[in-house]
PDB file of all heavy atoms in Angstrom:
ATOM      1  N   GLU A  19     -77.687-145.848  35.707  1.00 94.00           N
ATOM      2  CA  GLU A  19     -79.068-146.328  35.701  1.00 94.00           C
ATOM      3  C   GLU A  19     -79.604-146.478  37.119  1.00 94.00           C
ATOM      4  O   GLU A  19     -80.763-146.160  37.392  1.00 94.00           O
ATOM      5  CB  GLU A  19     -79.163-147.656  34.941  1.00 94.00           C
ATOM      6  CG  GLU A  19     -78.892-147.524  33.450  1.00 94.00           C
ATOM      7  CD  GLU A  19     -79.794-146.511  32.773  1.00 94.00           C
ATOM      8  OE1 GLU A  19     -81.018-146.529  33.055  1.00 94.00           O
ATOM      9  OE2 GLU A  19     -79.296-145.706  31.971  1.00 94.00           O
ATOM     10  N   VAL A  20     -78.765-146.961  38.024  1.00 93.00           N
ATOM     11  CA  VAL A  20     -79.177-147.069  39.419  1.00 93.00           C
ATOM     12  C   VAL A  20     -79.453-145.682  39.995  1.00 93.00           C
ATOM     13  O   VAL A  20     -80.446-145.452  40.696  1.00 93.00           O
ATOM     14  CB  VAL A  20     -78.091-147.783  40.250  1.00 93.00           C
ATOM     15  CG1 VAL A  20     -78.487-147.838  41.719  1.00 93.00           C
ATOM     16  CG2 VAL A  20     -77.846-149.183  39.709  1.00 93.00           C
ATOM     17  N   SER A  21     -78.575-144.732  39.669  1.00 97.00           N
ATOM     18  CA  SER A  21     -78.731-143.372  40.180  1.00 97.00           C
ATOM     19  C   SER A  21     -79.994-142.708  39.642  1.00 97.00           C
ATOM     20  O   SER A  21     -80.654-141.947  40.359  1.00 97.00           O
ATOM     21  CB  SER A  21     -77.497-142.537  39.812  1.00 97.00           C
ATOM     22  OG  SER A  21     -77.617-141.230  40.299  1.00 97.00           O
ATOM     23  N   LEU A  22     -80.344-142.975  38.401  1.00 97.00           N
ATOM     24  CA  LEU A  22     -81.579-142.409  37.851  1.00 97.00           C
ATOM     25  C   LEU A  22     -82.792-142.870  38.656  1.00 97.00           C
ATOM     26  O   LEU A  22     -83.686-142.080  38.957  1.00 97.00           O
ATOM     27  CB  LEU A  22     -81.727-142.805  36.378  1.00 97.00           C
ATOM     28  CG  LEU A  22     -80.784-142.126  35.393  1.00 97.00           C
ATOM     29  CD1 LEU A  22     -80.913-142.760  34.009  1.00 97.00           C
ATOM     30  CD2 LEU A  22     -81.072-140.630  35.301  1.00 97.00           C
ATOM     31  N   GLU A  23     -82.807-144.154  39.011  1.00 97.00           N
ATOM     32  CA  GLU A  23     -83.922-144.652  39.813  1.00 97.00           C
ATOM     33  C   GLU A  23     -83.902-144.037  41.209  1.00 97.00           C
ATOM     34  O   GLU A  23     -84.942-143.631  41.742  1.00 97.00           O
ATOM     35  CB  GLU A  23     -83.886-146.174  39.910  1.00 97.00           C
ATOM     36  CG  GLU A  23     -85.085-146.725  40.670  1.00 97.00           C
ATOM     37  CD  GLU A  23     -85.104-148.236  40.791  1.00 97.00           C
ATOM     38  OE1 GLU A  23     -84.348-148.913  40.082  1.00 97.00           O
ATOM     39  OE2 GLU A  23     -85.896-148.741  41.624  1.00 97.00           O
ATOM     40  N   SER A  24     -82.712-143.960  41.809  1.00 98.00           N
ATOM     41  CA  SER A  24     -82.604-143.325  43.126  1.00 98.00           C
ATOM     42  C   SER A  24     -83.147-141.899  43.080  1.00 98.00           C
ATOM     43  O   SER A  24     -83.903-141.468  43.953  1.00 98.00           O
ATOM     44  CB  SER A  24     -81.142-143.296  43.589  1.00 98.00           C
ATOM     45  OG  SER A  24     -80.656-144.574  43.901  1.00 98.00           O
ATOM     46  N   GLY A  25     -82.746-141.162  42.057  1.00 98.00           N
ATOM     47  CA  GLY A  25     -83.163-139.769  41.941  1.00 98.00           C
ATOM     48  C   GLY A  25     -84.659-139.615  41.761  1.00 98.00           C
ATOM     49  O   GLY A  25     -85.277-138.724  42.376  1.00 98.00           O
ATOM     50  N   ARG A  26     -85.241-140.450  40.922  1.00 98.00           N
ATOM     51  CA  ARG A  26     -86.690-140.378  40.729  1.00 98.00           C
ATOM     52  C   ARG A  26     -87.421-140.628  42.042  1.00 98.00           C
ATOM     53  O   ARG A  26     -88.397-139.945  42.373  1.00 98.00           O
ATOM     54  CB  ARG A  26     -87.125-141.398  39.667  1.00 98.00           C
ATOM     55  CG  ARG A  26     -86.770-141.022  38.243  1.00 98.00           C
ATOM     56  CD  ARG A  26     -87.463-141.926  37.240  1.00 98.00           C
ATOM     57  NE  ARG A  26     -86.958-143.292  37.301  1.00 98.00           N
ATOM     58  CZ  ARG A  26     -85.996-143.777  36.531  1.00 98.00           C
ATOM     59  NH1 ARG A  26     -85.409-142.986  35.641  1.00 98.00           N
ATOM     60  NH2 ARG A  26     -85.614-145.041  36.619  1.00 98.00           N
ATOM     61  N   ASN A  27     -86.946-141.609  42.805  1.00 98.00           N
ATOM     62  CA  ASN A  27     -87.606-141.935  44.069  1.00 98.00           C
ATOM     63  C   ASN A  27     -87.488-140.798  45.083  1.00 98.00           C
ATOM     64  O   ASN A  27     -88.458-140.455  45.769  1.00 98.00           O
ATOM     65  CB  ASN A  27     -86.986-143.207  44.650  1.00 98.00           C
ATOM     66  CG  ASN A  27     -87.295-144.442  43.829  1.00 98.00           C
ATOM     67  OD1 ASN A  27     -88.210-144.444  43.005  1.00 98.00           O
ATOM     68  ND2 ASN A  27     -86.522-145.500  44.034  1.00 98.00           N
ATOM     69  N   VAL A  28     -86.289-140.223  45.189  1.00 98.00           N
ATOM     70  CA  VAL A  28     -86.094-139.130  46.149  1.00 98.00           C
ATOM     71  C   VAL A  28     -86.900-137.901  45.738  1.00 98.00           C
ATOM     72  O   VAL A  28     -87.549-137.252  46.580  1.00 98.00           O
ATOM     73  CB  VAL A  28     -84.598-138.787  46.275  1.00 98.00           C
ATOM     74  CG1 VAL A  28     -84.404-137.503  47.088  1.00 98.00           C
ATOM     75  CG2 VAL A  28     -83.841-139.939  46.930  1.00 98.00           C
ATOM     76  N   LEU A  29     -86.880-137.567  44.461  1.00 98.00           N
ATOM     77  CA  LEU A  29     -87.635-136.407  43.990  1.00 98.00           C
ATOM     78  C   LEU A  29     -89.120-136.570  44.288  1.00 98.00           C
ATOM     79  O   LEU A  29     -89.775-135.640  44.796  1.00 98.00           O
ATOM     80  CB  LEU A  29     -87.409-136.206  42.494  1.00 98.00           C
ATOM     81  CG  LEU A  29     -88.156-135.035  41.847  1.00 98.00           C
ATOM     82  CD1 LEU A  29     -87.776-133.706  42.485  1.00 98.00           C
ATOM     83  CD2 LEU A  29     -87.883-134.995  40.333  1.00 98.00           C
ATOM     84  N   GLN A  30     -89.656-137.751  44.015  1.00 98.00           N
ATOM     85  CA  GLN A  30     -91.071-137.996  44.298  1.00 98.00           C
ATOM     86  C   GLN A  30     -91.362-137.848  45.790  1.00 98.00           C
ATOM     87  O   GLN A  30     -92.383-137.260  46.185  1.00 98.00           O
ATOM     88  CB  GLN A  30     -91.453-139.402  43.831  1.00 98.00           C
ATOM     89  CG  GLN A  30     -92.924-139.739  44.061  1.00 98.00           C
ATOM     90  CD  GLN A  30     -93.267-141.150  43.612  1.00 98.00           C
ATOM     91  OE1 GLN A  30     -92.469-142.068  43.768  1.00 98.00           O
ATOM     92  NE2 GLN A  30     -94.445-141.310  43.033  1.00 98.00           N
ATOM     93  N   ALA A  31     -90.459-138.354  46.636  1.00 98.00           N
ATOM     94  CA  ALA A  31     -90.664-138.274  48.086  1.00 98.00           C
ATOM     95  C   ALA A  31     -90.683-136.828  48.561  1.00 98.00           C
ATOM     96  O   ALA A  31     -91.510-136.450  49.399  1.00 98.00           O
ATOM     97  CB  ALA A  31     -89.566-139.046  48.814  1.00 98.00           C
ATOM     98  N   LEU A  32     -89.799-136.001  48.027  1.00 98.00           N
ATOM     99  CA  LEU A  32     -89.771-134.596  48.447  1.00 98.00           C
ATOM    100  C   LEU A  32     -91.009-133.858  47.958  1.00 98.00           C
ATOM    101  O   LEU A  32     -91.594-133.049  48.693  1.00 98.00           O
ATOM    102  CB  LEU A  32     -88.500-133.928  47.913  1.00 98.00           C
ATOM    103  CG  LEU A  32     -87.157-134.499  48.398  1.00 98.00           C
ATOM    104  CD1 LEU A  32     -85.995-133.640  47.901  1.00 98.00           C
ATOM    105  CD2 LEU A  32     -87.109-134.628  49.912  1.00 98.00           C
ATOM    106  N   LEU A  33     -91.418-134.126  46.731  1.00 98.00           N
ATOM    107  CA  LEU A  33     -92.616-133.467  46.196  1.00 98.00           C
ATOM    108  C   LEU A  33     -93.856-133.884  46.984  1.00 98.00           C
ATOM    109  O   LEU A  33     -94.751-133.064  47.235  1.00 98.00           O
ATOM    110  CB  LEU A  33     -92.788-133.804  44.710  1.00 98.00           C
ATOM    111  CG  LEU A  33     -91.732-133.213  43.761  1.00 98.00           C
ATOM    112  CD1 LEU A  33     -91.917-133.753  42.356  1.00 98.00           C
ATOM    113  CD2 LEU A  33     -91.801-131.682  43.767  1.00 98.00           C
ATOM    114  N   GLN A  34     -93.917-135.146  47.384  1.00 97.00           N
ATOM    115  CA  GLN A  34     -95.067-135.617  48.157  1.00 97.00           C
ATOM    116  C   GLN A  34     -95.163-134.923  49.515  1.00 97.00           C
ATOM    117  O   GLN A  34     -96.245-134.846  50.094  1.00 97.00           O
ATOM    118  CB  GLN A  34     -94.971-137.135  48.353  1.00 97.00           C
ATOM    119  CG  GLN A  34     -95.306-137.931  47.106  1.00 97.00           C
ATOM    120  CD  GLN A  34     -95.116-139.431  47.302  1.00 97.00           C
ATOM    121  OE1 GLN A  34     -94.522-139.878  48.290  1.00 97.00           O
ATOM    122  NE2 GLN A  34     -95.618-140.214  46.366  1.00 97.00           N
ATOM    123  N   GLN A  35     -94.028-134.427  49.997  1.00 96.00           N
ATOM    124  CA  GLN A  35     -94.022-133.708  51.277  1.00 96.00           C
ATOM    125  C   GLN A  35     -94.221-132.211  51.105  1.00 96.00           C
ATOM    126  O   GLN A  35     -94.067-131.441  52.056  1.00 96.00           O
ATOM    127  CB  GLN A  35     -92.707-133.989  52.011  1.00 96.00           C
ATOM    128  CG  GLN A  35     -92.557-135.453  52.399  1.00 96.00           C
ATOM    129  CD  GLN A  35     -91.211-135.749  53.025  1.00 96.00           C
ATOM    130  OE1 GLN A  35     -90.979-135.420  54.196  1.00 96.00           O
ATOM    131  NE2 GLN A  35     -90.313-136.356  52.276  1.00 96.00           N
ATOM    132  N   GLY A  36     -94.559-131.799  49.875  1.00 96.00           N
ATOM    133  CA  GLY A  36     -94.872-130.404  49.624  1.00 96.00           C
ATOM    134  C   GLY A  36     -93.660-129.506  49.455  1.00 96.00           C
ATOM    135  O   GLY A  36     -93.807-128.268  49.490  1.00 96.00           O
ATOM    136  N   LEU A  37     -92.481-130.087  49.265  1.00 97.00           N
ATOM    137  CA  LEU A  37     -91.280-129.271  49.099  1.00 97.00           C
ATOM    138  C   LEU A  37     -91.137-128.811  47.659  1.00 97.00           C
ATOM    139  O   LEU A  37     -91.597-129.468  46.718  1.00 97.00           O
ATOM    140  CB  LEU A  37     -90.035-130.074  49.517  1.00 97.00           C
ATOM    141  CG  LEU A  37     -89.940-130.429  50.999  1.00 97.00           C
ATOM    142  CD1 LEU A  37     -88.731-131.303  51.247  1.00 97.00           C
ATOM    143  CD2 LEU A  37     -89.858-129.179  51.859  1.00 97.00           C
ATOM    144  N   ASP A  38     -90.491-127.675  47.490  1.00 97.00           N
ATOM    145  CA  ASP A  38     -90.172-127.152  46.168  1.00 97.00           C
ATOM    146  C   ASP A  38     -88.901-127.860  45.710  1.00 97.00           C
ATOM    147  O   ASP A  38     -87.801-127.543  46.176  1.00 97.00           O
ATOM    148  CB  ASP A  38     -89.956-125.639  46.247  1.00 97.00           C
ATOM    149  CG  ASP A  38     -89.661-125.011  44.889  1.00 97.00           C
ATOM    150  OD1 ASP A  38     -89.766-125.718  43.865  1.00 97.00           O
ATOM    151  OD2 ASP A  38     -89.307-123.815  44.861  1.00 97.00           O
ATOM    152  N   ALA A  39     -89.042-128.854  44.848  1.00 98.00           N
ATOM    153  CA  ALA A  39     -87.910-129.673  44.441  1.00 98.00           C
ATOM    154  C   ALA A  39     -87.903-129.857  42.932  1.00 98.00           C
ATOM    155  O   ALA A  39     -88.956-129.916  42.291  1.00 98.00           O
ATOM    156  CB  ALA A  39     -87.945-131.035  45.129  1.00 98.00           C
TER     157      ALA A  39
END
Side-chain angles (χ1 to χ4, degrees):
E19 293 304 315
V20 177
S21 180
L22 288 172
E23 183 180 346
S24 290
R26 286 191 292 266
N27 292 343
V28 171
L29 179 60
Q30 181 181 37
L32 298 186
L33 292 173
Q34 285 176 348
Q35 296 175 76
L37 294 176
D38 182 8

